[in-house]
Amino acid sequence: MNFKKVLLLSLFAFSFSFNLFSQVFDPVKWETKVEKVSDTEYDLVSIATIDSGWHLYSQNVPDNGPIPTGFSFTENENFELVGETSEDEGHTVDDPVFQMRITFFENKAEFTQRIKVLNEELSLVEGEVEFMVCDDEKCLPPNYIDLKFNLKDAETVEEDSAGLPSLDLMGATTKILEPVKWSTAVEKLNDTEFILVSIATIDKGWKLYAQHIEDGGPIPTSFDYTLKDGVERLGTTHEENGEESMDKVFEMKIKYFKNKTEFRQKIKLTDSTITTIESEVGFMSCDDTQCTAPTYVDLEYDLTKTIVASSDVTENSESTDDESSKGLWSIFIIAFFSGFVALLTPCVFPMIPMTVSFFIKQSQSKAKGIRNAIIYGLSIIVIYVLLGTIITAIFGADALNALATNVWFNLIFFILLVVFAISFLGAFEIVLPNSWANKADKQADRGGLVGIFFMALALAIVSFSCTGPIVGTILVEAASKGGIAPVIGMLGFSSAIALPFALFAAFPGWLNSLPKSGGWLNTVKVVLGFLELALAFKFLSQADLVLQLHFLEREVFIAIWIAIFGTLSLYLFGKIQLPHDSPLKHISVGRLLFGLLTLTFTIYMIPGLWGAPLKIISAFPPPLDYSESPYGVGNSKGGSGTVEVPEGAHLLAPHDIIAFNDYETGLAYAKKVGKPVMLDFTGWSCVNCRKMEQNVWVDPKVLSKLKNDIVLISLYVDEQIDFPEGEAPDSKLRPGKKLKNKGQKWSEMQTIKYKTNTQPYYVLMDHNEENLIEPVAYTPNIEEYEAWLKEGIGNFKD
């Protein structure tokens, strides 16, 4: 706590002690009540009645602020606490005394703690509340009040079937959850620079996901800022540390936030008349049983109400910097090893002994030769790092990540890598203009440091036919990391290229140990061509997944990789020869071993055509449910045979269930076959949806009903397929806005028709769209879920 705050609190305490003899203040009165939620659960409600003009502070107050309100309960073996104590929304303001945003209550506030009773004889629960109150002139010291909760006087309150308090919204009983509340603040750095702060308050037990999550994971949090002329966005939106854990469903590490978090965006203002900035935050949140649909909230930042920023936004981004650092290290290492591979190509490898010998022979001493070789190597590094810097400067550090996730740029990356691959296979060479090399050679004749630099430039230009595709691939991969990743990638690549020139100049005897140039160099080049071709289809697959075209489904992708690596195996065994290959009388031991490795990998992938998970390459092919059939080619798993799929439907992997993804089409089919409909409000990124499908739907009794007794309509609330141009319908929940995609259409349908916004959510209905039974949410108990299905189907038949 700084001196100013200590002084202010001391003055408050002095003021209180001075007035103590003339007046005793008691501005907060406490009372309690108990609400019975179920046979074993109760809510202990603490009610604070606050005198006019006084403020009672929240339970969550930043460090160095006023004393927060806190509750403690005398626990014993007769009950246990469920979660933490919740509180009313309150008022959040920029406090001029403490210079921070503080939440407080006035007039009245309620705090609720749920408990689970373990002994039905329990009648009394005791607790204590610690609190501090202030008015505009003074603060009272922390006070402590004993609280007693009589369970025998509990009022009974109703909850819905999912265990959630029923709310009244739009005149109907609803289960609309809003586990994340958003507020904004603005911090002023100077007259032109500000930090836009987006504050997320997250309900107990819920998770808000980070901004950067790998493909195939939950929907990340994102911010879309509406910036007028005169406002410049500086850098990316920074987030706090958060937590990270391995998610078993998505099989990846996922970062998320609990309780409360802030996102901070730095801007520069060149038009002083601008007073507000607007943005839209898109996010998804989950607890242990359900997830909300992707949600979009409009935010407004008032630049006329600011507080002085304690630090620049970059100083509050330790976690982001750590993660960025890890990503940059991985790029550096990959690029470094790629540089070593580039050394083994026919354009570079022969240059090593030639160049080192030149420096040694032309230098007056060995020391000078080593120095020149080192300068030569450093010049190579400068040239390639300069290339990475230019790429970053042209596209912008922040834009690279957006480009890498854009459909069209994924297609461009695919085409580039295919061109690189064909070049490596020998169809043609990608070369820079000869005039560039000639000019570099002329400058190299000048001698001295300038001459050495242009010698390095000449090497970079002449060897481009071999190094260009590798450099291009590194830059494409670095783009997915954003920031200065292209610069770091080029640093790693060029360091590996430059290192041998310095080492062999220092130890020229090592040159004798180098293998002689020959046909093996072209073999390295061809192998790289096959690898580039395989990598290209990763980018085509990402574009196909985003557009949901189902052009490159899992089986097709795996078949392509089997063909590529199978052909590579035949090439390594000498069964296939390309135009630039030298005659092959025998294969070396190294080539044989590498051929066996690629053949093993090819055989490993074959079961993937029949639904094997292929965990070694899980990051490359589309997910298991993005397939032609649930069990792979031939649909032969379990001998189920061919399943006739009606028009507009597909087989839901891996259960062989006929499913529709369109409401009207599925309903029409249900009427045709005379079966009830089960609406499955789900999401591609819904963890608990996958748990239900993997753990509950696989039960034989449940699976039989899903396959034979109902028509399944799965509506993905996070479906990213956009509406055709000009056909996006108006949003019914956000007047004046258009729906972003089909996922929002299903999300609004669920919210409006069923008054809930979480997934998974299951509805059994008849052909008149009337419920056959009360819908259910996440139901991990197989017997309970099967009984629900059985009762609903029975009601349809009756």
Side-chain angles (χ1 to χ4, degrees):
M1 186 180 294
N2 61 37
F3 177 75
K4 180 180 178 181
K5 293 173 183 174
V6 171
L7 179 61
L8 287 170
L9 286 175
S10 300
L11 289 173
F12 285 141
F14 176 76
S15 173
F16 169 75
S17 61
F18 182 79
N19 289 282
L20 184 62
F21 297 102
S22 59
Q23 186 176 3
V24 176
F25 295 99
D26 187 18
V28 181
K29 311 296 190 297
W30 290 90
E31 58 180 312
T32 63
K33 69 175 181 179
V34 180
E35 296 178 346
K36 184 176 182 179
V37 178
S38 67
D39 290 341
T40 59
E41 291 188 322
Y42 294 79
D43 282 342
L44 311 181
V45 184
S46 305
I47 306 163
T49 303
I50 310 161
D51 289 352
S52 179
W54 289 85
H55 294 164
L56 172 69
Y57 292 101
S58 166
Q59 297 176 95
N60 301 302
V61 173
D63 293 339
N64 300 329
I67 301 297
T69 301
F71 291 86
S72 60
F73 297 88
T74 306
E75 296 186 60
N76 53 54
E77 68 279 3
N78 295 321
F79 74 96
E80 61 183 22
L81 301 178
V82 179
E84 297 180 354
T85 304
S86 62
E87 63 185 26
D88 291 340
E89 186 172 350
H91 305 279
T92 302
V93 298
D94 296 316
D95 191 287
V97 174
F98 292 99
Q99 293 184 359
M100 62 177 64
R101 291 183 66 80
I102 297 177
T103 300
F104 65 87
F105 308 99
E106 55 186 3
N107 300 324
K108 192 173 184 178
E110 288 191 4
F111 302 83
T112 303
Q113 173 65 59
R114 180 161 295 187
I115 65 168
K116 182 176 182 180
V117 174
L118 306 177
N119 182 355
E120 61 182 13
E121 300 299 324
L122 179 67
S123 61
L124 184 68
V125 175
E126 297 181 343
E128 181 184 72
V129 56
E130 175 190 17
F131 63 97
M132 174 178 176
V133 289
C134 297
D135 64 7
D136 294 336
E137 299 178 353
K138 54 188 170 295
C139 288
L140 302 184
N143 197 2
Y144 302 86
I145 299 293
D146 292 329
L147 303 173
K148 293 185 179 182
F149 304 88
N150 191 341
L151 304 189
K152 301 304 181 184
D153 296 333
E155 303 173 5
T156 302
V157 295
E158 294 184 358
E159 290 203 332
D160 61 33
S161 60
L164 302 168
S166 297
L167 305 176
D168 187 81
L169 185 65
M170 297 182 293
T173 300
T174 71
K175 307 164 197 170
I176 305 297
L177 296 184
E178 191 182 358
V180 181
K181 281 83 173 177
W182 291 91
S183 58
T184 62
V186 179
E187 297 180 357
K188 187 175 182 179
L189 291 169
N190 52 54
D191 289 340
T192 60
E193 293 184 338
F194 300 83
I195 298 174
L196 309 180
V197 186
S198 306
I199 307 160
T201 303
I202 309 159
D203 287 354
K204 174 66 178 176
W206 287 80
K207 300 175 182 177
L208 173 69
Y209 293 102
Q211 296 177 92
H212 304 292
I213 292 177
E214 294 181 27
D215 293 339
I219 300 295
T221 300
S222 62
F223 292 87
D224 183 10
Y225 298 91
T226 304
L227 300 180
K228 308 171 186 175
D229 292 337
V231 182
E232 180 184 357
R233 182 179 176 184
L234 303 178
T236 58
T237 301
H238 293 272
E239 61 188 28
E240 296 182 338
N241 292 348
E243 301 179 29
E244 189 176 45
S245 62
M246 185 69 187
D247 191 285
K248 295 180 181 179
V249 174
F250 291 110
E251 296 184 349
M252 64 174 69
K253 281 190 175 181
I254 297 178
K255 180 181 175 182
Y256 56 88
F257 307 99
K258 288 185 174 182
N259 301 323
K260 193 171 186 178
T261 190
E262 292 184 358
F263 300 85
R264 303 158 68 82
Q265 174 63 56
K266 187 177 179 180
I267 63 167
K268 184 175 182 179
L269 209 63
T270 56
D271 182 353
S272 59
T273 64
I274 296 176
T275 58
T276 59
I277 304 289
E278 295 179 349
S279 77
E280 181 184 73
V281 57
F283 63 97
M284 174 181 178
S285 55
C286 298
D287 67 2
D288 292 336
T289 63
Q290 58 204 329
C291 293
T292 61
T295 306
Y296 302 89
V297 174
D298 294 322
L299 303 176
E300 184 176 272
Y301 310 86
D302 190 344
L303 301 183
T304 65
K305 299 178 180 178
T306 64
I307 58 176
V308 177
S310 58
S311 61
D312 201 338
V313 63
T314 54
E315 297 175 18
N316 296 304
S317 311
E318 296 177 4
S319 175
T320 303
D321 292 342
D322 288 345
E323 291 179 10
S324 175
S325 176
K326 292 177 183 177
L328 294 177
W329 269 111
S330 66
I331 283 289
F332 179 86
I333 293 171
I334 292 171
F336 188 80
F337 282 105
S338 299
F340 274 125
V341 173
L343 284 170
L344 303 179
T345 58
C347 309
V348 181
F349 187 81
M351 300 295 293
I352 298 174
M354 292 171 55
T355 306
V356 172
S357 297
F358 171 82
F359 284 128
I360 293 175
K361 291 177 181 179
Q362 295 297 319
S363 302
Q364 298 174 352
S365 65
K366 181 179 179 182
K368 190 173 181 181
I370 294 173
R371 187 201 69 175
N372 290 341
I374 292 174
I375 294 173
Y376 180 76
L378 292 175
S379 298
I380 293 174
I381 294 174
V382 169
I383 290 167
Y384 281 103
V385 169
L386 184 62
L387 173 63
T389 304
I390 292 172
I391 294 294
T392 304
I394 291 174
F395 291 102
D398 301 328
L400 285 171
N401 184 262
L403 294 182
T405 56
N406 181 276
V407 170
W408 294 110
F409 274 88
N410 271 290
L411 293 175
I412 292 172
F413 292 160
F414 165 72
I415 294 171
L416 278 175
L417 292 183
V418 170
V419 171
F420 293 158
I422 295 174
S423 171
F424 269 154
L425 293 174
F428 54 83
E429 286 192 346
I430 302 174
V431 295
L432 296 176
N434 288 330
S435 60
W436 293 14
N438 294 334
K439 290 179 181 179
D441 281 335
K442 289 181 181 179
Q443 294 295 328
D445 293 337
R446 296 170 56 181
L449 298 180
V450 174
I452 294 174
F453 176 82
F454 279 98
M455 280 185 64
L457 181 60
L459 172 69
I461 295 173
V462 171
S463 65
F464 187 79
S465 61
C466 292
T467 60
I470 300 176
V471 168
T473 304
I474 293 172
L475 290 174
V476 167
E477 281 295 307
S480 66
K481 302 294 182 183
I484 61 170
V487 178
I488 299 300
M490 290 299 93
L491 177 63
F493 177 81
S494 58
S495 297
I497 293 286
L499 188 60
F501 293 97
L503 287 177
F504 285 112
F507 306 98
W510 290 3
L511 289 172
N512 297 325
S513 63
L514 280 178
K516 295 181 179 180
S517 299
W520 67 273
L521 291 174
N522 189 68
T523 300
V524 172
K525 191 176 175 183
V526 171
V527 170
L528 288 176
F530 279 104
L531 296 178
E532 294 254 3
L533 189 60
L535 181 62
F537 284 93
K538 171 191 173 184
F539 293 96
L540 182 61
S541 172
Q542 288 177 342
D544 184 64
L545 274 168
V546 172
L547 294 174
Q548 290 289 300
L549 297 177
H550 288 267
F551 170 75
L552 191 62
E553 293 178 313
R554 184 178 178 86
E555 295 91 342
V556 177
F557 184 98
I558 294 173
I560 291 172
W561 268 38
I562 290 173
I564 291 173
F565 286 95
T567 306
L568 174 58
S569 300
L570 293 175
Y571 174 79
L572 291 171
F573 289 136
K575 302 301 181 182
I576 297 175
Q577 281 197 322
L578 296 175
H580 294 82
D581 288 332
S582 303
L584 186 67
K585 296 181 180 180
H586 64 273
I587 61 175
S588 65
V589 174
R591 183 166 178 163
L592 173 64
L593 293 175
F594 192 62
L596 290 172
L597 179 64
T598 57
L599 179 60
T600 302
F601 181 63
T602 303
I603 296 172
Y604 165 78
M605 289 190 292
I606 293 175
L609 297 173
W610 285 270
L614 304 182
K615 292 184 178 180
I616 293 178
I617 60 169
S618 60
F620 290 92
L624 283 166
D625 55 6
Y626 197 75
S627 309
E628 288 186 8
S629 62
Y631 304 136
V633 175
N635 189 31
S636 61
K637 184 178 179 181
S640 58
T642 302
V643 178
E644 183 178 351
V645 181
E647 184 177 355
H650 65 280
L651 290 174
L652 181 66
H655 308 301
D656 201 11
I657 305 171
I658 294 176
F660 293 83
N661 291 142
D662 182 77
Y663 181 79
E664 288 78 13
T665 305
L667 181 59
Y669 179 76
K671 292 178 180 179
K672 178 181 176 181
V673 297
K675 294 181 181 179
V677 170
M678 188 177 93
L679 296 183
D680 167 29
F681 288 99
T682 183
W684 297 108
S685 305
C686 173
V687 179
N688 298 302
C689 303
R690 301 293 85 78
K691 288 180 180 179
M692 286 292 294
E693 294 163 10
Q694 295 170 12
N695 301 326
V696 178
W697 286 17
V698 295
D699 179 79
K701 291 185 292 184
V702 172
L703 187 58
S704 175
K705 290 179 174 59
L706 295 177
K707 292 173 65 174
N708 303 313
D709 299 334
I710 58 99
V711 172
L712 176 65
I713 304 178
S714 294
L715 303 177
Y716 289 84
V717 299
D718 56 0
E719 186 71 80
Q720 297 297 305
I721 299 177
D722 294 334
F723 294 100
E725 185 69 27
E727 296 184 18
D730 294 328
S731 170
K732 296 179 181 178
L733 295 178
R734 304 174 70 205
K737 300 278 187 177
K738 294 285 187 180
L739 295 182
K740 292 180 177 291
N741 46 53
K742 289 190 176 180
Q744 267 200 307
K745 175 183 177 181
W746 307 132
S747 176
E748 287 208 351
M749 172 186 173
Q750 181 190 6
T751 302
I752 295 170
K753 188 170 183 178
Y754 298 103
K755 307 300 183 293
T756 185
N757 63 338
T758 60
Q759 296 77 46
Y761 192 72
Y762 306 104
V763 179
L764 278 173
M765 69 179 195
D766 60 21
H767 298 159
N768 296 320
E769 303 176 64
E770 298 293 334
N771 290 353
L772 295 169
I773 189 174
E774 187 71 20
V776 297
Y778 179 69
T779 311
N781 185 287
I782 294 175
E783 288 74 19
E784 184 179 342
Y785 190 77
E786 191 270 336
W788 175 79
L789 281 172
K790 183 177 181 180
E791 183 178 350
I793 295 169
N795 292 339
F796 177 80
K797 293 178 180 179
D798 294 340

